[in-house]
Amino acid sequence: MRKAEIGRYGSAALWILAVAAAYYGSARLGLLQQLVRGQVTPLWPPTGVALAGLLVLGLRIWPGIALGALLVNASIGPSPLAVLAIVAGNTLAPVCAYLLLRRAKFRDELDRLRDVLALIFLGALAGMLISSTVGSGVLVLAGALQASNFWPTWSVWWTGDAMGVLVVTPFLLVLRRARWPRHAGLSRWIEAVALALGTLFATILATSTTSSALLFLVFPFLIWAAFRFQLAGAAPCALGVSTLAILAAAREAGPFAGQDLFASMVTLQAFNGTTALMALLLAAVITERNETHEELARVCTRLAEMVAFIEPRSDSNDG
């Protein structure tokens, strides 16, 4: 075997291990806020990690997803056979989401409205049907879950996986392309800090009071992030807001106090879904608008140069 091939396989193995470690680490964080049977959460970060890994590194890292899912579910699954089935569902879901996105010519930059819509409908809503259906069905067949609880568990599983894609995947894609803004002025830094602190304060206030109407306080800050910083600002803000809302729901505080699981999940996921969708869609629309404006400016500049080049010739012919 050639040295180049050995190096290529070694690099792939390292990436697989890195994805498995990231999957496992994010899963342990997600399980801290479990709501159903110690393993179903309103936000499942590993799905976002897995899909981002596939989008960046390709299908070659799918064993890392399977390995990470196996390590996570081995200790919480009802039986070895059920664990393997759940692992298969957790692996197939992001892989199918990745294939659907690539078929739709998805771009990792998320700078077009069509890319955001593809991530929402193909990556999150459609792709995560696999893991939620397989996982909930396996728990029922294994006797770890009553048949009457299939749909509540399925809904929490599906929305948790979908939220992982909508919140975590854009954040990781932005983080991958992040560069230190060397030419940013002091006013830009002040605005970014003000946005971060304002978003944090508004979210804490909204999740600390019993009125669910105050949850809308965070939306002006998400609009601010999308307009001024596009995806680089909208994705982190959406992740932070969703995380704080989930923490409040897990401890039954603020607008989630005194509610049963179903009512709490409806409120939480409606809020998180609206937050993620608004942030991503606005960021994509503003990015497209800015790119269109820049393209028009370039076209106008070229036309002005052409006119300036032609005008002297016209004057000399008249003479």
Side-chain angles (χ1 to χ4, degrees):
M1 184 178 295
R2 298 178 180 177
K3 291 184 178 180
E5 293 178 351
I6 295 176
R8 186 167 61 251
Y9 288 129
S11 176
L14 289 176
W15 281 118
I16 288 172
L17 292 176
V19 169
Y23 190 103
Y24 179 80
S26 61
R28 301 313 302 181
L29 290 176
L31 288 173
L32 294 176
Q33 307 304 326
Q34 59 80 23
L35 295 180
V36 180
R37 204 196 163 274
Q39 65 185 110
V40 185
T41 74
L43 173 63
W44 188 236
T47 56
V49 172
L51 185 55
L54 289 167
L55 290 171
V56 174
L57 301 172
L59 275 177
R60 61 175 179 163
I61 56 94
W62 74 263
I65 301 172
L67 177 59
L70 179 62
L71 293 174
V72 172
N73 289 280
S75 59
I76 59 177
S79 66
L81 187 60
V83 166
L84 291 177
I86 292 173
V87 168
N90 288 349
T91 305
L92 283 174
V95 168
C96 290
Y98 165 78
L99 294 175
L100 288 172
L101 290 175
R102 283 296 176 241
R103 187 171 182 83
K105 301 186 185 304
F106 175 83
R107 290 200 323 209
D108 301 347
E109 294 84 355
L110 283 171
D111 56 354
R112 301 178 301 176
L113 182 60
R114 59 172 292 180
D115 296 324
V116 174
L117 293 176
L119 183 68
I120 294 170
F121 291 103
L122 299 180
L125 302 184
M128 298 306 114
L129 291 172
I130 299 173
S131 55
S132 58
T133 303
V134 171
S136 302
V138 166
L139 291 179
V140 171
L141 293 176
L145 189 71
Q146 296 182 357
S148 59
N149 292 328
F150 172 83
W151 286 113
T153 302
W154 181 92
S155 64
V156 177
W157 199 313
W158 178 61
T159 53
D161 283 0
M163 286 306 304
V165 172
L166 291 179
V167 174
V168 178
T169 298
F171 174 75
L172 293 177
L173 293 177
V174 166
L175 192 63
R176 171 179 174 255
R177 298 180 178 276
R179 299 293 184 271
W180 187 261
R182 298 178 180 178
H183 303 293
L186 179 61
S187 61
R188 189 70 165 169
W189 282 106
I190 293 175
E191 183 181 6
V193 172
L195 172 63
L197 293 177
T199 304
L200 178 63
F201 176 77
T203 307
I204 293 176
L205 178 63
T207 55
S208 300
T209 56
T210 56
S211 176
S212 59
L214 290 181
L215 290 173
F216 294 97
L217 283 175
V218 304
F219 291 163
F221 293 93
L222 294 173
I223 295 172
W224 180 8
F227 267 90
R228 294 291 293 158
F229 299 94
Q230 286 79 60
L231 190 65
C237 285
L239 177 60
V241 168
S242 297
T243 301
L244 291 175
I246 290 169
L247 292 175
R251 65 176 187 269
E252 298 182 357
F256 310 101
Q259 297 185 359
D260 57 19
L261 176 61
F262 179 76
S264 179
M265 281 299 302
V266 169
T267 303
L268 175 64
Q269 299 299 48
F271 172 71
N272 283 346
T274 304
T275 296
L277 294 180
M278 185 179 68
L280 294 178
L281 290 172
L282 267 179
V285 169
I286 298 303
T287 301
E288 279 194 331
R289 185 204 66 176
N290 292 344
E291 290 181 350
T292 301
H293 182 269
E294 292 174 359
E295 182 61 28
L296 287 174
R298 286 194 293 267
V299 170
C300 291
T301 301
R302 287 197 296 268
L303 286 175
E305 292 174 351
M306 292 176 62
V307 170
F309 179 75
I310 295 173
E311 279 183 346
R313 293 188 175 185
S314 298
D315 295 341
S316 61
N317 290 336
D318 293 339

